[in-house]
């Protein structure tokens, strides 16, 4: 059973009305470029094969009812009361799909909105740093865009998803996850300038080079709405204000000596991560274009060191995953996602994947950590209508 099948089956338990369609959007793995998105910098994510599907049926009233395979009860709200319910908060997982409906109506206020039942099913691991939230947002935004006839393109729908996450859910994330989920291309990463929202697909060629991306989901769950993420963002804003620039995107590595002089140690290290991470993204894109994926390993590993030491968003389980996969022959490895838990990725020769997987399980057991979930991901297509 796929997520599309599961969403269809769940919808049938919710209503006797036929599905008007099923839409899906993928999670994403970020190859490199962490916390640079809300600093208006550069990122290089790719959509993964694991997807969230939204099956939709029309209603005769103005109620939006949402149900998912990862929650017991349906949540419903009338369109007339949607603004008030979003403002009141406390919607838990339903804040994501209902937040998309709310943001889409605000973006296209003249749209002919109507009541719908939405059934959600997902194959994207939750809390793993693979952006299960953006997959929900992308699937629901794509569905309502068609059902309500709002006529938005994929970039605009990514903005709708970010608005839902920032303002309805309260997670102060950038737009990388939504753009990656909406615009993914098979066998390519999406090079995104988070200031201009200009993108281009960057061919990855992992399979041709005999490489895989191995994911180690530590099962240490993180939450973007929690304090650690907000504190990092505040530090970045403090650093930008000290230089009187719009965002840390406007600084380069040449500014770091001055940053060390005028900033406190913690703020300086936060700034140094963002500035050097932006440069690593640019260097990774250049390496992929000129030399292929075998040339980017050291950049991935340097990114992890920066996140561990300067941005301080890693955890022991992530560090162990990186160290173990590197020792098992990975060309490079790093944590991926917002941090404070989640997953690490390793770029590794395909023939070494089984041994590396065994090594990770053994290392986690020896350290007394919970057994992780280890799997490979494939750069895949973005949001689409499946049926």
């Amino acid at each position: 059973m796929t997520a599309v099948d599961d969403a269809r089956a769940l919808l049938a338990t919710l209503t006797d009305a036929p599905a008007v369609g099923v839409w899906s959007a993928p999670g994403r793995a970020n190859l490199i470029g962490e916390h640079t998105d809300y600093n208006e910098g550069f990122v290089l994510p790719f959509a993964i094969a694991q997807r969230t599907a939204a099956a939709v049926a029309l209603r005769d009233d103005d109620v939006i009812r949402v149900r998912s395979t990862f929650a017991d009860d349906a949540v419903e709200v009338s369109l007339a009361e949607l603004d008030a319910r979003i403002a009141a908060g406390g919607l838990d997982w339903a804040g994501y799909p209902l937040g998309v409906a709310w943001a889409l109506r605000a973006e296209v206020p003249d749209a002919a909105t109507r009541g719908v039942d939405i059934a959600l099913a997902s194959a994207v691991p939750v809390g793993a740093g693979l952006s299960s939230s953006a997959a929900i947002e992308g699937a629901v935004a794509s569905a309502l865009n068609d059902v309500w006839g709002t006529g938005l393109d994929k970039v605009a729908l990514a903005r709708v998803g970010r608005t839902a996450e920032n303002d309805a859910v309260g997670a102060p994330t950038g737009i990388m996850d939504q753009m990656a989920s909406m615009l993914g291309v098979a066998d390519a990463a999406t090079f995104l300038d988070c200031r201009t929202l200009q993108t281009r697909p960057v061919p990855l060629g992992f399979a041709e080079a005999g490489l895989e991306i191995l994911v180690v989901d530590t099962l240490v769950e993180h939450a973007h709405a929690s304090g650690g993420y907000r504190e990092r963002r505040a530090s970045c804003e403090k650093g930008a204000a000290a230089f009187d620039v719009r965002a840390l995107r406007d600084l380069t590595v040449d500014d770091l000596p001055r940053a060390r002089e005028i900033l406190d140690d913690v703020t300086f290290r936060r700034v140094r991560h963002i500035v050097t991470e932006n440069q690593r993204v640019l260097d990774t894109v250049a390496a992929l274009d000129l030399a292929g994926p075998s040339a980017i390993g050291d950049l991935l590993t340097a990114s992890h060191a920066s996140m561990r030491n300067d941005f301080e968003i890693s955890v022991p389980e992530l560090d162990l995953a990186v160290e173990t996969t590197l020792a098992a022959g990975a060309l490079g490895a790093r944590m991926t996602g917002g941090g404070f838990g989640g997953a690490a990725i390793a770029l590794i020769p395909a023939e070494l994947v089984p041994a590396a997987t065994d090594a990770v399980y053994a290392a986690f057991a020896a350290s007394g950590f919970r057994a992780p979930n280890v799997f490979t991901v494939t750069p895949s297509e973005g949001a689409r209508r499946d049926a």
Side-chain angles (χ1 to χ4, degrees), residues 67-322:
R67 175 82 190 276
S68 83
T69 55
F70 44 85
D72 292 334
D73 299 319
V75 177
E76 62 180 61
V77 59
S78 71
L79 291 171
E81 298 172 344
L82 187 57
D83 287 357
R85 285 293 300 274
I86 292 296
L91 289 168
D92 194 30
W93 69 269
Y96 293 98
L98 293 176
V100 166
W102 167 76
L104 188 58
R105 292 182 78 215
E107 183 71 16
V108 189
D110 296 331
T113 56
R114 59 176 298 172
V116 289
D117 284 323
I118 303 174
L120 293 163
S122 183
V124 184
V126 176
L130 298 176
S131 203
S132 57
S133 59
I136 294 172
E137 292 154 4
V140 174
S142 298
L144 294 181
N145 189 50
D146 286 354
V147 172
W148 287 351
T150 48
L152 299 182
D153 62 21
K154 287 190 172 185
V155 173
L157 292 177
R159 290 196 191 99
V160 165
R162 177 182 60 180
T163 297
E165 187 133 354
N166 290 175
D167 299 337
V169 178
T173 59
I175 200 170
M176 172 184 70
D177 296 350
Q178 292 81 10
M179 290 287 282
S181 184
M182 293 301 303
L183 299 173
V185 175
D187 197 31
T190 299
F191 177 42
L192 168 63
D193 180 333
C194 294
R195 171 167 286 172
T196 66
L197 297 190
Q198 291 182 330
T199 64
R200 77 170 174 93
V202 178
L204 292 172
F206 291 150
E208 184 178 356
L211 298 172
E212 296 263 17
I213 291 288
L214 186 68
V215 176
V216 180
D217 178 3
T218 66
L219 303 181
V220 177
E221 292 194 13
H222 63 187
H224 278 167
S226 64
Y229 194 101
R230 291 182 182 277
E231 289 168 7
R232 298 311 184 276
R233 186 159 186 164
S235 290
C236 293
E237 292 168 354
K238 180 179 178 180
F243 276 88
D244 194 26
V245 294
R246 173 171 152 178
L248 292 182
R249 150 70 174 273
D250 297 305
L251 303 184
T252 70
V253 292
D254 292 336
D255 294 304
L256 291 178
R258 175 63 176 158
R260 185 185 289 276
E261 292 177 0
I262 67 174
L263 299 174
D264 63 86
D265 178 65
V266 171
T267 305
F268 167 69
R269 288 187 291 110
R270 306 298 188 248
V271 168
R272 181 168 61 183
H273 166 69
I274 299 301
V275 171
T276 57
E277 186 79 344
N278 271 325
Q279 187 60 53
R280 281 187 288 270
V281 174
L282 298 176
D283 291 345
T284 299
V285 171
L288 286 166
D289 286 341
L290 295 173
S294 297
I296 67 172
D298 288 346
L299 291 162
L300 304 185
T301 306
S303 174
H304 183 76
S306 182
M307 290 185 286
R308 180 190 63 216
N309 300 334
D310 279 352
F311 224 59
E312 296 182 290
I313 55 174
S314 190
V315 296
E317 291 89 341
L318 288 169
D319 294 338
L320 181 62
V322 168

Side-chain angles (χ1 to χ4, degrees), residues 329-352:
L331 304 185
R334 64 187 290 274
M335 58 149 285
T336 188
F340 310 104
I345 59 170
L347 179 65
I348 189 167
E351 68 272 14
L352 298 181

